[in-house]
Amino acid sequence: GEDVEQSLFLSVREGDSSVINCTYTDSSSTYLYWYKQEPGAGLQLLTYIFSNMDMKQDQRLTVLLNKKDKHLSLRIADTQTGDSAIYFCAEIISGNKLVFGAGTILRVKS
Amino acid sequence: GAGVSQTPSNKVTEKGKYVELRCDPISGHTALYWYRQSLGQGPEFLIYFQGTGAADDSGLPNDRFFAVRPEGSVSTLKIQRTERGDSAVYLCASSGQDPRGELFFGEGSRLTVL
């Protein structure tokens, strides 16, 4: 099927690390993505990883990819209250169709 | 503006009515996508245009839904005989030639069918 699965909710304290996990379905996906959706705003690309990479670091963000298990994770270091949002994992299937997971709500407590 | 623009931002209609939702993509973007997002769910793919043609319409739920992009820029999503289950936020996105395939999303049109 085309289900991208992610945990629904994560609550962390400000300053802690957050880890959001995702499993995807298509082993031929060339890119895998993390999108962020803030209240009342459109989705924005947060980061991405090319399928031939195991890890990508971008400032406070670290993306880990395990192709064998089709597992993708997003780690946010030193999580801030402004990081509170919904995070969507997404993969490309059938060439150009981006398929999203249901989203993980990240709540950061100060 | 420079982003993807969607109108109306909110639409309330009655069951059985016809609705049109408009998307104005980023200038120069050849690919345009429509997604539907229900409360508590991720965006669900509806249709993808490359230029004027629908390259993949496999996500349209039934024949009440139709989308056009006659000049390869603005697109209209048309819903006939609306049902309460059509209530959702309809998202439009566009992308250019970037091989990463980044989609740029509009803020969506919230449709409520009473």
Side-chain angles (χ1 to χ4, degrees), chain A residues 12-33:
Chain A
V12 300
R13 292 196 175 278
E14 191 174 20
D16 287 351
S17 292
S18 307
V19 179
I20 302 171
N21 295 301
C22 166
T23 55
Y24 61 97
T25 60
D26 189 353
S27 57
S28 65
S29 292
T30 50
Y31 287 94
L32 294 138
Y33 306 87

Side-chain angles (χ1 to χ4, degrees), chain A residues 8 30-31 33 35 37 40-45 48 56 88 92 94 96-103, chain B residues 33 35 37 40-45 48 50 56 58-59 91 99-108:
Chain A
L8 293 182
T30 50
Y31 287 94
Y33 306 87
Y35 277 79
Q37 187 174 41
L43 283 97
Q44 286 190 305
L45 180 65
Y48 66 96
K56 178 182 178 182
F88 294 94
I92 286 186
S94 305
N96 285 90
K97 187 162 76 175
L98 197 61
V99 175
F100 289 85
Chain B
Y33 302 77
Y35 282 82
Q37 188 175 21
Q41 300 294 317
E44 173 195 12
F45 172 82
Y48 152 60
Q50 184 62 252
D56 185 342
S58 62
L91 298 170
R100 297 176 305 172
E102 179 179 358
L103 265 58
F104 294 84
F105 281 86
E107 293 189 6

Side-chain angles (χ1 to χ4, degrees), chain B residues 1-108:
Chain B
V4 176
S5 175
Q6 293 188 246
T7 55
S9 54
N10 272 288
K11 176 71 176 178
V12 180
T13 191
E14 293 179 342
K15 180 173 177 291
K17 299 290 188 184
Y18 170 79
V19 165
E20 287 190 354
L21 306 175
R22 176 189 166 108
C23 173
D24 203 337
I26 291 172
S27 177
H29 279 189
T30 55
L32 184 146
Y33 302 77
W34 283 100
Y35 282 82
R36 176 169 71 175
Q37 188 175 21
S38 300
L39 192 62
Q41 300 294 317
E44 173 195 12
F45 172 82
L46 296 177
I47 187 169
Y48 152 60
F49 286 90
Q50 184 62 252
T52 59
D56 185 342
D57 64 357
S58 62
L60 295 176
N62 52 58
D63 61 7
R64 294 187 298 107
F65 288 75
F66 190 70
V68 295
R69 194 185 186 201
E71 296 176 0
S73 178
V74 170
S75 176
T76 305
L77 178 66
K78 308 180 181 200
I79 310 173
Q80 297 178 317
R81 305 183 303 280
T82 51
E83 298 177 358
R84 291 193 181 89
D86 299 335
S87 297
V89 177
Y90 288 81
L91 298 170
C92 178
S94 68
S95 69
Q97 300 302 316
D98 185 345
R100 297 176 305 172
E102 179 179 358
L103 265 58
F104 294 84
F105 281 86
E107 293 189 6

Side-chain angles (χ1 to χ4, degrees), chain A:
Chain A
E2 298 182 356
D3 288 343
V4 175
E5 297 187 353
Q6 1 178 177
S7 47
L8 293 182
F9 184 77
L10 177 65
S11 180
V12 300
R13 292 196 175 278
E14 191 174 20
D16 287 351
S17 292
S18 307
V19 179
I20 302 171
N21 295 301
C22 166
T23 55
Y24 61 97
T25 60
D26 189 353
S27 57
S28 65
S29 292
T30 50
Y31 287 94
L32 294 138
Y33 306 87
W34 286 102
Y35 277 79
K36 179 181 180 183
Q37 187 174 41
E38 296 181 273
L43 283 97
Q44 286 190 305
L45 180 65
L46 186 64
T47 188
Y48 66 96
I49 188 166
F50 190 50
S51 60
N52 68 353
M53 299 169 66
D54 297 324
M55 185 181 86
K56 178 182 178 182
Q57 186 141 7
D58 184 0
Q59 300 183 337
R60 292 190 297 120
L61 306 177
T62 303
V63 179
L64 295 178
L65 175 61
N66 180 331
K67 287 191 71 175
K68 176 177 169 291
D69 295 336
K70 296 181 190 170
H71 184 265
L72 185 72
S73 69
L74 173 69
R75 178 177 181 269
I76 306 173
D78 186 25
T79 314
Q80 303 297 306
T81 54
D83 294 325
S84 293
I86 305 176
Y87 291 81
F88 294 94
C89 170
E91 63 170 335
I92 286 186
I93 66 167
S94 305
N96 285 90
K97 187 162 76 175
L98 197 61
V99 175
F100 289 85
T104 299
I105 299 172
L106 175 63
R107 179 187 165 206
V108 182
K109 296 179 285 188
S110 57

